């Protein structure tokens, strides 16, 4: 019984110690670029994605170091440095990623890009510092670019009468308004 109480106290103390190190360093991306979505790209296409770094609960500024840990053959960070200062309370520190699909890629190919942000910095000399990292994953599908739809004569012939009718109605309204004002002045 005494052993169980000691274990419970020990576990409680560990939980309290580790809960003091709670932080909220995060990386967000647009919904269309989240890891649950597959980004469809075409041969030779380049797409820029803006990630936003957040530091919501730490009581200090942190530095995040970004590295592409998977997919560096088609992706690169476009900022001047891969180190990002994320002030305490910040929600909008931008990190920019460029994805370029080569012309030689195979249609139907899948690529996975992992960008890992290693959290560094924080108050120094305060016991054990547990530094974490966040990985943002992008799933890319190389798709065949659809052929542009040809403009048929039917489509253009249908559109011309509609434009003509609208133009005639506008001209008729203008003529009626002008005649109305001329007769109004003439009666005076």
């Amino acid at each position: 019984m005494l052993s169980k109480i000691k274990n419970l106290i020990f576990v409680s103390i560990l939980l309290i110690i580790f809960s003091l190190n709670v932080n909220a360093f995060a990386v967000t991306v647009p919904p269309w670029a989240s890891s649950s979505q597959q980004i469809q790209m075409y041969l030779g296409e380049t797409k820029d994605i803006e990630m936003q770094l957040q530091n919501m609960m730490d009581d200090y500024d942190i530095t995040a170091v970004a590295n592409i840990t998977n997919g560096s053959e088609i992706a690169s960070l476009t900022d001047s440095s891969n180190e990002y200062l994320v002030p305490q309370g910040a929600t909008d520190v931008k990190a920019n990623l460029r994805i370029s699909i080569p012309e030689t890629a195979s249609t139907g190919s899948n690529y996975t890009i992992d960008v890992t942000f290693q959290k560094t910095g924080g108050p120094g000399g305060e016991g054990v510092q547990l530094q974490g990292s966040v990985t943002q994953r992008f799933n890319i599908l190389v798709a065949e670019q659809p052929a542009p739809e040809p403009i048929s004569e039917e489509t253009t012939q249908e559109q011309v009468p509609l434009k003509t009718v609208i133009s005639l109605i506008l001209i008729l309204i203008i003529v009626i308004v002008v005649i109305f004002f001329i007769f109004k002045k003439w009666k005076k």
Side-chain angles (χ1 to χ4, degrees):
M1 180 72 171
L2 188 60
S3 168
K4 286 185 180 182
I5 293 175
K6 284 182 181 179
N7 286 341
L8 182 61
I9 291 173
F10 178 71
V11 169
S12 298
I13 290 172
L14 281 178
L15 285 174
I16 291 170
I17 289 172
F18 285 118
S19 68
L20 295 174
N21 193 32
V22 171
N23 62 58
F25 170 61
V27 178
T28 61
V29 295
W32 59 266
S34 70
S35 60
S36 64
Q37 301 293 322
Q38 191 166 50
I39 302 171
Q40 183 172 306
M41 294 181 68
Y42 305 118
L43 297 175
E45 182 179 9
T46 296
K47 192 171 281 193
D48 291 328
I49 298 176
E50 181 181 278
M51 301 173 281
Q52 293 190 340
L53 309 182
Q54 301 178 348
N55 179 11
M56 295 305 296
M57 291 181 66
D58 286 330
D59 293 331
Y60 48 87
D61 298 348
I62 62 168
T63 299
V65 179
N67 288 301
I68 298 174
T69 54
N70 192 20
S72 60
E73 69 274 12
I74 64 166
S76 62
L77 295 164
T78 60
D79 299 311
S80 60
S81 172
N82 69 332
E83 292 186 15
Y84 302 89
L85 175 64
V86 188
Q88 188 271 328
T91 60
D92 59 353
V93 175
K94 294 170 181 41
N96 296 294
L97 178 72
R98 176 166 291 153
I99 303 170
S100 297
I101 303 298
E103 292 284 347
T104 57
S106 300
T107 303
S109 298
N110 288 297
Y111 291 95
T112 300
I113 300 168
D114 291 329
V115 182
T116 300
F117 292 88
Q118 181 69 42
K119 178 182 157 185
T120 63
E126 294 183 9
V128 176
Q129 290 189 15
L130 300 175
Q131 301 298 338
S133 65
V134 174
T135 298
Q136 184 63 53
R137 174 166 284 176
F138 301 94
N139 298 307
I140 311 297
L141 170 66
V142 179
E144 187 172 336
Q145 191 161 10
E149 290 186 28
I151 299 176
S152 68
E153 288 184 34
E154 279 183 19
T155 306
T156 54
Q157 288 176 357
E158 289 173 8
Q159 291 173 353
V160 171
L162 181 61
K163 290 178 184 176
T164 305
V165 170
I166 291 173
S167 298
L168 289 175
I169 290 172
L170 287 174
I171 291 171
L172 185 62
I173 290 172
I174 292 171
V175 168
I176 290 172
V177 169
V178 169
I179 291 173
F180 175 76
F181 281 115
I182 289 175
F183 276 118
K184 193 172 181 180
K185 279 185 174 184
W186 185 64
K187 284 190 171 187
K188 285 185 180 184

